[in-house]
Amino acid sequence: MRHLESSLSIVPSAASAEILSDAATAASSDGGGSAAPWIAGCSGVWYNLALIVPSALFVGFLASGARRSFSKLYRGRSHIMIAYYGLLWLVSLLNLAWCALQAWHCTPGKELGWNLLSLFTTAGMLFLEITLVTFLLQGNDVSGAEALARMFLVSGVVVAVDSLLKVIYIFGFGVPLFIDNNEETSRVKRGLWIVHKLLLTVVYGLILSMYHTKWREKLPGRQAFYKYIVAIFSLNALEFLACMLLGNGAAFGFWLYNLTTVCYHALYLPLLYVMFLADFFQEDDFHLENVYYSEMKDAGFFDEDWD
């Protein structure tokens, strides 16, 4: 009799729990109720907040200074700055959406949407990286529609090849580059990311090594460019190390990979703006020329004039 009573008491409890679970799922899918399932995503609340908050603050910062920036761009009439500022806005919005929709990563039925969003976001971020490096490596010949077309052509070709390979692996071979499905595909995915991060590390490492060779004079004189290359080289090297550790099954590799992901998606765009665009939008042209000259002089580019 006592066993029967306990069984009867368990049934309502289980039914209630199931009803509450279904209600919570429906509420989260309808956008109502608690935001906990959305904000927690797949990797926890703090991980998502570390992605969302800086990205949202940066978009808010761009919006707050949009009128002043548009006015500066209109007066300057620089094709390159106008194009780059527009790209920065587009990629910032894509990146914010990617950070805010982390729950799609592990939500059944959202695989296609997450893959497409990840493809567009990573392509946009890579396009900004390559465009900036191409822009600065052109030296003094960085104005006009011809330089803009050359810069976008180089970046477009590299990003198109990179995106095409990702599309082939995701939709052609079924390798979930942006989703963790099973151990076998995860091994293939980690191998591909190892190659990808290794290539980026080598490219930035070669640019960094040019500062210690006779090709130093071909590089921009601004110290900000050197600091930027050091930062991005270090980040890609850490991502490469994290992928290697994950490939060997080290738990620390997962933590390091998440850390580098947060740093890249939360801090890269603000870093780019502060180092290369802030002066253009905040300083007058005469003062800006003095800043560039002072940084080039500190870098030693005019030492030979005094010999």
Side-chain angles (χ1 to χ4, degrees):
M1 184 68 180
R2 185 174 302 171
H3 175 70
L4 178 61
E5 291 177 354
S6 61
S7 300
L8 291 175
S9 64
I10 291 175
V11 171
S13 300
S16 301
E18 184 177 356
I19 292 173
L20 290 174
S21 176
D22 293 342
T25 303
S28 62
S29 62
D30 294 339
S34 174
W38 166 75
I39 203 67
C42 311
S43 302
V45 174
W46 294 113
Y47 175 82
N48 285 350
L49 287 177
L51 287 170
I52 296 171
V53 173
S55 302
L57 288 176
F58 181 65
V59 171
F61 170 77
L62 289 179
S64 66
R67 178 176 297 181
R68 183 179 66 251
S69 299
F70 290 148
S71 176
K72 178 71 175 180
L73 289 170
Y74 178 77
R75 293 197 306 269
R77 299 185 181 276
S78 170
H79 296 88
I80 291 178
M81 295 305 296
I82 292 173
Y84 207 76
Y85 184 71
L87 278 174
L88 181 65
W89 257 109
L90 175 62
V91 175
S92 297
L93 293 175
L94 280 173
N95 185 61
L96 178 59
W98 185 88
C99 295
L101 297 175
Q102 286 291 303
W104 285 13
H105 183 205
C106 55
T107 302
K110 297 291 186 180
E111 292 87 356
L112 177 61
W114 178 251
N115 281 327
L116 292 177
L117 179 60
S118 299
L119 280 170
F120 281 112
T121 303
T122 55
M125 302 278 278
L126 183 61
F127 192 88
L128 277 179
E129 284 189 54
I130 300 173
T131 303
L132 178 61
V133 173
T134 306
F135 169 69
L136 293 173
L137 288 179
Q138 291 183 73
N140 295 324
D141 185 24
V142 290
S143 61
E146 183 180 351
L148 178 65
R150 182 167 58 250
M151 183 175 67
F152 275 27
L153 177 62
V154 173
S155 305
V157 169
V158 175
V159 172
V161 172
D162 179 78
S163 300
L164 179 61
L165 290 175
K166 290 177 181 176
V167 168
I168 292 174
Y169 276 109
I170 293 173
F171 300 107
F173 298 119
V175 178
L177 293 179
F178 306 108
I179 298 175
D180 293 324
N181 277 349
N182 56 63
E183 185 63 25
E184 182 177 356
T185 56
S186 292
R187 284 197 298 268
V188 177
K189 179 184 70 174
R190 284 194 291 267
L192 293 173
W193 282 126
I194 287 173
V195 175
H196 188 268
K197 299 305 177 183
L198 177 60
L199 289 175
L200 289 175
T201 304
V202 169
V203 169
Y204 283 109
L206 289 175
I207 297 175
L208 193 60
S209 65
M210 290 174 65
Y211 277 96
H212 307 286
T213 65
K214 63 179 181 179
W215 300 102
R216 176 174 177 269
E217 296 181 358
K218 302 293 184 180
L219 298 174
R222 297 196 66 193
Q223 287 295 311
F225 180 72
Y226 178 78
K227 296 176 182 177
Y228 169 82
I229 295 298
V230 170
I232 302 303
F233 169 77
S234 302
L235 181 62
N236 280 287
L238 287 175
E239 286 183 309
F240 171 70
L241 175 61
C243 292
M244 290 291 293
L245 292 174
L246 281 173
N248 293 324
F252 177 73
F254 181 76
W255 178 88
L256 182 60
Y257 186 81
N258 282 343
L259 177 62
T260 55
T261 299
V262 169
C263 290
Y264 183 66
H265 285 276
L267 302 178
Y268 173 69
L269 296 175
L271 173 70
L272 185 150
Y273 182 89
V274 169
M275 285 192 166
F276 301 106
L277 297 178
D279 286 340
F280 178 83
F281 290 118
Q282 295 177 2
E283 305 291 347
D284 58 86
D285 295 337
F286 178 76
H287 179 67
L288 185 58
E289 290 180 1
N290 288 339
V291 170
Y292 287 168
Y293 176 82
S294 176
E295 290 181 345
M296 292 179 71
K297 185 178 179 181
D298 293 340
F301 276 75
F302 303 108
D303 292 345
E304 59 182 288
D305 296 339
W306 299 96
D307 295 335

